[in-house]
Amino acid sequence: MPQPHRPTRPARPPQPQRARRGGGPARRRGDRPRWGVRLAAGLAVAVLGSGAIGHAVMTGLDTGIERVDPFKDMKNRPQAGHGLNFLLVGTDGRDKITRQDRREYRLGGAPCHCTDTVMLVHLSANRQRASVVSLPRDSYAELPAHRDESSGKQHGPHAVKLNAAYAEGGPQLTVRTVENLTRVKIDHYLEVDFSSFMKTVDAMGGVEICTAKALHDKNTGLDLLPGTHRLSGGQALQYVRSRHVDGAADLGRMQRQQRFVAALVKQATGGGVLLNPVKFKEVSSTLLGSVRADRGFGSEQMLALGQAMRDFTPASSEFASVPIGNPSYPVKGIGSTVKWDEPKAAKLFEALRQDRPLAAPSAPGPVRGQAQAQAQGQSGLRAQQQPAVRVDVPPQQIRVQVENGTRIDGLGGRVDTALRATGFDTTRAPVGGASRNVKRTVIAYDPRWDRSARTVSTALPGSELRAVAGQGRTVLVIAGTDYRKVVPVRPEDPYQGQFGVVTGDQVICGK
């Protein structure tokens, strides 16, 4: 019997006969990657999970770590809670940056020798959850009495912005200040500068980031069009440093930093690093050889982290920012600072101390999936599996009125239901349009709400955008005979819950 034509492939070594010769069904092509991942996972577990072999993989990596002692002579520290707490500090150090990279990624100028990024990372006691809390660098803080590292001058207690703690007293004063602010005991300190950040990202093969809108910042040189991008180390540095892409300034930058960390977790746990012992050693070597860390953190701890994160998924990580009471709190001699909402912040850090998840339990998914399936004539399972497209404006903030512009009975109701199922604030009262001969679906909007209109058009691919001055904030959807379905959408920054928490799966590329 003639065989179907297949493209010529390079010769392979002889393979052992498979057991399915007896007539069992042939394995589908799509099944192969799953077995490959399982095999890789098994090898990783064997190598990283075995004490002796794992030791061999990581041997000698401690020698490149630059050590600091941020806990020296510290007294009256907070009581230890459950799990592990890391203080991750990004500084503006650029001494090791090449001249070419300085020019390409706009890293000129004198560094302030202060912290550019401050994150408190909590790894749960059962090693199944990582909670990342961003601390605004302009947070109002009160430094304890200390000796200035640069001048040697003795200072009494005084108010500063949080990032100045590093400039005055280095890692030790930074840890003391964060512990005083949060009452969370820090177990490990990791400090990353511009150069080490770039090297680590490049060692991981870059990191995939997606954005719903164009991101341009002339200060850092960031220039990303809407869509998905794999960023190199230098590009990733531009992404996490940019503060001038919108009106959110440093708070918007913290959101992008959280999305980047979520993407980094996905890259590490998705088979690119943790499932490849050689890659794991390469990345660990790069990281440990280019960071400053406390004396208790080394290859043993890196190996333990790798083992702990074997079963991580993007949903295993959660991200929050400290609740803000006043984003422009004036302080004499300092200027505008970020004042925390103290009662809410206290609850947030109490949750960390008690090793409780920060994210509220998510609502059951099938309800929304089934509603959308009913509206679009699909099965609930298929609707749930359809990837949600990232949009700029959360659909919950967009008011939509639906009109039926055709003679198809019930079309307006189906469109209203489908839009509501993916999150839009519809009126739930569709009406008949003035014309019943509309072929192409129209989205009529006030030019002042053009971003909202583009979000609606993303959910209705192929629709026509029509600006109508003075229409107001409600977006009008006139359903035409071309309507087939509503594409699920999700906001780029879907903050939720009392602490404004997102999980990693909500902010990475993909579903």
Side-chain angles (χ1 to χ4, degrees), residues 368-369 372-373 376 378 380 382-391 395 418-424 455-456 458-461 485-491 510-511:
R368 175 171 292 185
Q372 191 166 5
Q376 299 177 185
Q378 298 174 326
R382 192 174 161 197
Q384 283 179 273
Q385 290 179 339
Q386 186 173 3
V389 180
R390 195 171 298 233
V391 291
L419 287 170
R420 189 167 67 251
T422 198
F424 289 97
T455 293
V456 178
T458 300
L460 292 166
K485 66 177 181 178
V486 167
V487 173
V489 297
R490 62 169 176 163
K511 291 187 180 181

Side-chain angles (χ1 to χ4, degrees), residues 288-441:
L288 294 176
S290 57
V291 303
R292 300 215 300 168
D294 64 272
R295 299 182 185 280
F297 188 86
S299 59
E300 293 265 357
Q301 287 68 36
M302 281 295 294
L303 182 58
L305 278 177
Q307 292 170 333
M309 293 180 67
R310 282 196 311 247
D311 298 323
F312 259 44
T313 67
S316 303
S317 56
E318 55 182 9
F319 300 86
S321 299
V322 177
I324 304 302
N326 185 349
S328 302
Y329 179 69
V331 179
K332 186 177 180 180
I334 299 176
S336 179
T337 67
V338 175
K339 186 75 169 174
W340 296 358
D341 183 320
E342 293 186 10
K344 290 183 179 179
K347 290 181 180 179
L348 171 70
F349 295 120
E350 175 65 16
L352 285 188
R353 286 192 294 272
Q354 297 299 323
D355 201 23
R356 297 196 304 264
L358 304 179
S362 56
V367 175
R368 175 171 292 185
Q370 289 164 5
Q372 191 166 5
Q374 183 179 7
Q376 299 177 185
Q378 298 174 326
S379 70
L381 177 62
R382 192 174 161 197
Q384 283 179 273
Q385 290 179 339
Q386 186 173 3
V389 180
R390 195 171 298 233
V391 291
D392 186 12
V393 180
Q396 292 82 0
Q397 298 177 9
I398 304 174
R399 186 68 168 170
V400 178
Q401 172 66 59
V402 177
E403 284 187 5
N404 186 353
T406 75
R407 299 183 185 278
I408 303 172
D409 289 340
L411 179 62
R414 293 201 300 275
V415 175
D416 183 286
T417 302
L419 287 170
R420 189 167 67 251
T422 198
F424 289 97
D425 179 23
T426 67
T427 64
R428 305 191 182 206
V431 298
S435 171
R436 291 294 184 135
N437 298 307
V438 176
K439 294 182 179 180
R440 183 182 178 190
T441 298

Side-chain angles (χ1 to χ4, degrees), residues 19-37:
R20 64 179 179 86
R21 288 172 54 189
R27 185 175 59 198
R28 297 188 305 273
R29 183 182 299 269
D31 289 340
R32 292 176 183 171
R34 190 185 312 163
W35 285 107
V37 168

Side-chain angles (χ1 to χ4, degrees), residues 213 243-252:
K213 58 187 176 185
R243 307 176 68 205
H244 304 284
V245 297
D246 50 33
D250 199 46
L251 299 180

Side-chain angles (χ1 to χ4, degrees), residues 83-261:
L84 278 177
N85 298 311
F86 297 79
L87 186 62
L88 178 60
V89 167
T91 70
D92 71 339
R94 58 197 78 184
D95 300 338
K96 303 173 186 176
I97 300 291
T98 66
R99 185 173 300 178
Q100 179 180 345
D101 283 345
R102 281 175 181 265
R103 186 168 53 250
E104 184 173 356
Y105 302 118
R106 304 193 186 180
L107 299 172
C112 70
H113 300 292
C114 54
T115 52
D116 212 41
T117 301
V118 183
M119 287 182 174
L120 188 56
V121 182
H122 173 79
L123 185 63
S124 64
N126 62 9
R127 304 300 190 257
Q128 294 180 4
R129 183 184 68 257
S131 305
V132 181
V133 180
S134 296
L135 310 182
R137 67 177 191 171
D138 291 339
S139 296
Y140 173 84
E142 295 181 1
L143 298 186
H146 64 278
R147 184 179 299 277
D148 192 304
E149 270 203 345
S150 301
S151 65
K153 182 180 178 181
Q154 186 69 31
H155 290 292
H158 63 281
V160 295
K161 294 180 180 180
L162 177 58
N163 69 338
Y166 186 91
E168 291 192 25
Q172 186 180 41
L173 187 58
T174 301
V175 169
R176 287 179 65 190
T177 304
V178 170
E179 287 192 344
N180 287 347
L181 283 169
T182 65
R183 304 311 302 163
V184 173
K185 185 176 183 180
I186 306 301
D187 298 298
H188 291 293
Y189 174 89
L190 293 175
E191 180 184 310
V192 181
D193 62 14
F194 289 171
S195 177
S196 57
F197 177 88
M198 294 166 66
K199 288 179 182 177
T200 303
V201 173
D202 284 335
M204 294 188 70
V207 173
E208 187 178 72
I209 289 293
C210 47
T211 176
K213 58 187 176 185
L215 299 178
H216 302 292
D217 187 337
K218 62 181 181 181
N219 293 327
T220 64
L222 179 69
D223 187 13
L224 294 180
L225 294 174
T228 300
H229 310 270
R230 180 163 290 275
L231 304 184
S232 66
Q235 294 168 325
L237 184 60
Q238 291 174 315
Y239 180 81
V240 299
R241 290 186 63 228
S242 291
R243 307 176 68 205
H244 304 284
V245 297
D246 50 33
D250 199 46
L251 299 180
R253 182 178 71 158
M254 286 195 307
Q255 292 174 356
R256 285 186 289 278
Q257 290 172 350
Q258 291 174 350
R259 285 200 292 271
F260 180 83
V261 173

